[in-house]
């Protein structure tokens, strides 16, 4: 399997006295559905933003889609092929209507208004929100906002989705809908989350960030595995 | 309860176009041009009768827009709050000398002063009412698209769109912080403790808005932002636009006739 993301020897710190990563290695393969877990402050969001080039590392190499990325132009080229969903949907939705928000990415990719409109309709159908096209983004519920935010990422026809805490503060119905959208989209994805039962449903692979390093956890070795399994079965 | 109410009438929300007015369908570009012309005409008026005419004309426009009266009064309250300060100065002989018509203690009220204050009040209200009637009934994205088509710089349009969107977010942030403060027994008064609390509230709003601006910018970069906020626009002049233009031009003609005695 080809690696979509290949990070080697990455170092990063917000505060030089307390480095977040020192020589971190991380690989994400094609077709993978990977859950990224770790304590608060372990650096999950930081790692995701480093991958997107939204913050810059102090040293190390980031390869995305087989190419080395270090300049803004190189990251921009990669970003257009990655759907990134932020933790707070309010950060992501800023256009007057849902339709405008979903069209924003495709238009930035240079598509025409008609092509973008077509993608908007297809995306809304995919996320099951056809009737929301002209609704004001700000007036949606938190669950609807999050699903639209995922839609804005999917509308860019990405090769890969990255989601930061997609289920925080959402009710079970919204989580179910997000899980369904993720399972239906047919893309590889990387999800940072604390919600293990959600991850068990959508992301069979697991990586744990601990002490600034990634540890891949095979299915059998997870201590919380049985507990979560019961919860999932119980809920269904 | 809210769902029953919601079914009966959409919430009053002119900014994002949930409020539909008979004037909502009009071309945004035309409304911007008409409101500019109407406001320039009003600001040029000197005669009290013509100003009355302009005020009546604006009232006709707001009636056509079916803007809720309660909300209109609330908005005019803000304008006339400033007018009240003017009424404390201008009617008196120390600022506008002239024929004395009344005395308030040592102060003399002049006819010219009262006329001037009335003129300013009428003109200000007439302009604001017409802006509410014409621009208030234009959904935000139409206003942005219309500004763009009128070659207003891209950056200004983008800033305008983002500002309106995030005023609401900031306001909610403010309400959330206020609630959290009240939950811990905060009460605003002039004690040093309360003032420090209020200063902290403002400070953390500034810090949070800065943080949020950074996150929003990152989210925009993630979707390939290069400096252009696209909004859908589909403007074409329709018969109702012609009707609106004729109404406003006719009103302008009448007001101009009153002013210049044609």
């Amino acid at each position: 399997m080809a690696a979509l993301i290949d990070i080697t020897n990455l170092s990063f710190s917000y505060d030089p006295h307390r480095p977040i990563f020192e020589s971190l290695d991380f690989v994400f393969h094609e077709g993978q559905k990977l859950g990224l877990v770790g304590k608060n402050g372990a650096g999950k969001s930081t790692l995701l933003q480093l991958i997107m080039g939204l913050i810059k590392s102090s040293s190390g190499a980031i390869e995305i889609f087989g190419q080395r990325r270090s300049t803004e132009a190189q990251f921009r080229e990669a970003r257009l092929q990655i759907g990134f969903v932020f933790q707070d949907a309010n950060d992501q939705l800023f256009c007057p209507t849902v339709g405008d928000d979903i069209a924003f990415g495709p238009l930035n990719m240079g598509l025409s208004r008609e092509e973008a409109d077509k993608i908007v309709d297809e995306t809304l159908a995919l996320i099951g929100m056809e009737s929301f096209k002209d609704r004001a983004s700000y007036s949606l519920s938190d669950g609807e906002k999050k699903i639209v935010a995922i839609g804005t990422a999917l509308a860019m026809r990405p090769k890969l989705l990255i989601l930061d805490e997609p289920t925080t503060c959402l009710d079970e119905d919204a989580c179910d809908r997000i899980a369904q959208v993720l399972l239906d989209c047919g893309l590889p994805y990387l999800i940072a989350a604390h919600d293990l039962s959600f991850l068990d449903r959508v992301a069979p692979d697991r990586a744990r960030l601990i002490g600034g390093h990634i540890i891949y956890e095979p299915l059998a070795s997870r201590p919380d595995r049985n507990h979560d399994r019961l919860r999932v079965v119980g809920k269904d | 309860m809210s769902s029953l109410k919601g079914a009966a009438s959409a919430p009053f929300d002119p900014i994002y176009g949930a409020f539909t007015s008979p004037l909502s369908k009009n071309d945004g570009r035309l409304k911007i041009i008409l409101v500019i012309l109407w406001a320039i005409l009003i600001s040029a008026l000197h005669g009290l009768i013509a100003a009355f005419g302009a005020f009546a004309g604006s009232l006709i426009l707001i009636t056509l827009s079916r803007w809720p009266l309660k909300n209109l009064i609330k908005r005019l309250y803000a304008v006339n709050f400033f007018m009240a300060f003017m009424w404390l100065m201008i009617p008196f002989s120390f600022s506008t000398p002239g024929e004395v018509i009344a005395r308030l203690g040592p102060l003399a009220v002049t006819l010219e002063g009262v006329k001037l204050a009335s003129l300013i009040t009428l003109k200000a209200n007439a302009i604001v009412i017409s802006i509410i009637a014409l621009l208030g009934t234009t959904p935000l994205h139409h206003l942005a698209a219309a500004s763009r088509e009128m070659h207003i710089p891209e950056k200004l349009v983008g800033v305008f769109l983002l500002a309106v969107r995030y005023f609401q977010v900031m306001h909610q942030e403010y309400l959330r912080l206020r609630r959290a403060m009240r939950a811990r027994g905060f009460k605003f008064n002039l004690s040093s403790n309360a003032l420090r609390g209020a200063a902290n509230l403002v400070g953390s709003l500034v810090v949070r808005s800065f943080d949020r601006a950074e996150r929003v910018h990152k989210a925009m970069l993630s979707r390939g932002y290069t400096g252009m906020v696209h909004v859908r626009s589909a403007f074409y002049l329709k018969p109702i636009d012609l009707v609106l233009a004729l109404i406003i031009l006719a009103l302008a003609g009448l007001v101009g006739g009153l002013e210049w005695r044609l």
Side-chain angles (χ1 to χ4, degrees):
Chain A
M1 270 192 297
L4 292 180
I5 303 171
D6 192 351
I7 294 178
T8 42
N9 208 13
L10 184 80
S11 298
F12 178 80
S13 67
Y14 291 106
D15 170 358
H17 301 295
R18 283 181 297 154
I20 309 249
F21 306 128
E22 281 177 303
S23 66
L24 171 121
D25 295 320
F26 174 66
V27 186
F28 181 87
H29 294 288
E30 193 137 17
Q32 218 174 358
K33 296 172 191 302
L34 180 69
L36 180 65
V37 297
K39 292 201 171 106
N40 288 329
K44 301 188 293 294
S45 295
T46 304
L47 178 59
L48 300 187
Q49 293 196 30
L50 282 165
I51 292 170
M52 292 298 284
L54 297 171
I55 47 181
K56 300 280 189 283
S57 61
S58 43
S59 67
I62 300 177
E63 255 184 39
I64 299 170
F65 307 129
Q67 281 173 35
R68 179 76 189 271
R69 312 279 170 174
S70 55
T71 66
E72 174 65 18
Q74 289 165 343
F75 273 113
R76 190 181 127 79
E77 201 257 333
R79 270 181 218 143
L80 291 175
Q81 304 170 63
I82 304 176
F84 193 84
V85 180
F86 282 69
Q87 184 166 355
D88 185 346
N90 273 318
D91 294 341
Q92 200 153 0
L93 306 180
F94 61 90
C95 295
T97 67
V98 169
D100 286 328
D101 254 322
I102 292 179
F104 179 75
L107 288 170
N108 285 333
M109 296 166 75
L111 297 185
S112 73
R113 181 47 77 181
E114 291 73 34
E115 289 167 315
D117 251 355
K118 199 165 148 265
I119 289 182
V120 169
D121 291 334
E122 285 168 10
T123 306
L124 287 170
L126 182 70
I127 59 177
M129 297 185 77
E130 290 93 331
S131 61
F132 282 72
K133 187 172 178 180
D134 292 317
R135 285 276 296 277
S137 304
Y138 96 101
S139 69
L140 306 182
S141 74
D142 286 345
E144 288 163 348
K145 274 185 193 163
K146 180 59 84 175
I147 291 166
V148 171
I150 296 174
T152 65
L154 288 174
M156 298 178 71
R157 303 279 159 85
K159 290 183 183 163
L160 155 71
L161 276 184
I162 297 181
L163 302 97
D164 193 359
E165 292 285 355
T167 58
T168 314
C169 299
L170 298 185
D171 65 24
E172 271 179 51
D173 284 352
C175 291
D176 286 347
R177 287 180 66 185
I178 290 169
Q180 204 54 53
V181 168
L182 287 176
L183 293 172
D184 287 348
C185 74
L187 293 170
Y189 46 74
L190 170 62
I191 306 180
H194 291 289
D195 183 348
L196 296 179
S197 68
F198 176 78
L199 284 183
D200 270 347
R201 284 154 72 186
V202 299
D205 294 337
R206 186 76 40 91
R208 185 173 293 275
L209 245 182
I210 187 161
H213 292 280
I214 292 275
I215 297 167
Y216 297 95
E217 295 184 345
L219 218 64
S221 75
R222 290 178 209 159
D224 44 22
R225 177 78 197 158
N226 289 330
H227 174 67
D228 279 321
R229 196 73 223 147
L230 282 176
R231 262 180 31 206
V232 172
V233 170
K235 204 152 72 180
D236 291 343
Chain B
M1 193 207 90
S2 63
S3 64
L4 279 176
K5 232 179 131 186
S9 65
F12 178 69
D13 174 22
I15 294 178
Y16 288 99
F19 165 69
T20 46
S21 147
L23 301 187
S24 297
K25 292 188 198 72
N26 283 102
D27 191 313
R29 300 167 302 180
L30 179 80
K31 286 201 277 190
I32 292 178
I33 293 169
L34 287 174
V35 86
I36 290 173
L37 289 177
W38 182 244
I40 288 175
L41 171 73
I42 294 176
S43 54
L45 299 178
H46 290 100
L48 207 49
I49 298 169
F52 257 115
F55 184 70
S58 288
L59 285 183
I60 291 174
L61 293 177
I62 199 86
T63 312
L64 286 176
S65 78
R66 300 210 196 118
W67 193 272
L69 184 64
K70 228 169 133 182
N71 183 275
L72 178 69
I73 291 169
K74 203 171 123 191
R75 291 190 176 201
L76 289 181
Y77 178 81
V79 183
N80 289 293
F81 180 76
F82 288 101
M83 293 294 127
F85 285 104
M86 184 198 68
W87 277 94
L88 289 178
M89 305 287 290
I90 290 184
F92 299 103
S93 57
F94 62 80
S95 65
T96 322
E99 187 189 332
V100 176
I101 51 169
R103 286 189 178 277
L104 288 174
L107 298 171
V109 180
T110 63
L111 181 64
E112 282 75 8
V114 172
K115 273 188 178 169
L116 184 58
S118 310
L119 182 72
I120 295 172
T121 308
L122 279 171
K123 283 165 67 168
N125 279 287
I127 291 176
V128 170
I129 292 172
S130 68
I131 289 175
I132 294 174
L134 291 175
L135 300 190
T137 55
T138 312
L140 175 70
H141 51 292
H142 286 178
L143 220 47
S147 323
R148 176 168 294 141
E149 292 201 359
M150 292 169 73
H151 300 288
I152 289 171
E154 198 54 50
K155 281 201 173 114
L156 286 181
V157 178
V159 165
F160 168 69
L161 271 173
L162 290 174
V164 177
R165 169 69 181 82
Y166 286 101
F167 274 143
Q168 259 130 352
V169 175
M170 290 316 299
H171 184 64
Q172 278 164 10
E173 192 89 52
Y174 163 76
L175 292 177
R176 218 178 3 251
L177 288 172
R178 272 302 295 271
R179 269 200 298 276
M181 288 169 81
R182 282 217 303 275
R184 288 189 284 159
F186 178 82
K187 192 166 176 289
F188 187 72
N189 51 36
L190 287 178
S191 72
S192 70
N193 191 35
L195 286 175
R196 202 177 303 123
N200 287 340
L201 170 70
V202 173
S204 72
L205 264 180
V206 170
V207 172
R208 278 162 190 246
S209 57
F210 183 76
D211 273 357
R212 183 174 288 275
E214 288 227 304
R215 292 201 305 271
V216 169
H217 187 235
K218 284 178 182 173
M220 291 170 79
L221 286 178
S222 300
R223 291 196 277 154
Y225 176 68
T226 50
M228 167 110 177
V229 179
H230 307 265
V231 278
R232 276 174 292 163
S233 66
F235 288 126
Y236 52 96
L237 290 170
K238 304 169 286 295
I240 51 164
D241 293 318
L242 188 64
V243 173
L244 181 70
L246 285 177
I247 292 174
I248 292 176
L249 290 178
L251 288 172
L254 285 173
V255 170
L258 286 172
E259 172 76 11
W260 291 287
R261 310 252 177 251
L262 296 175

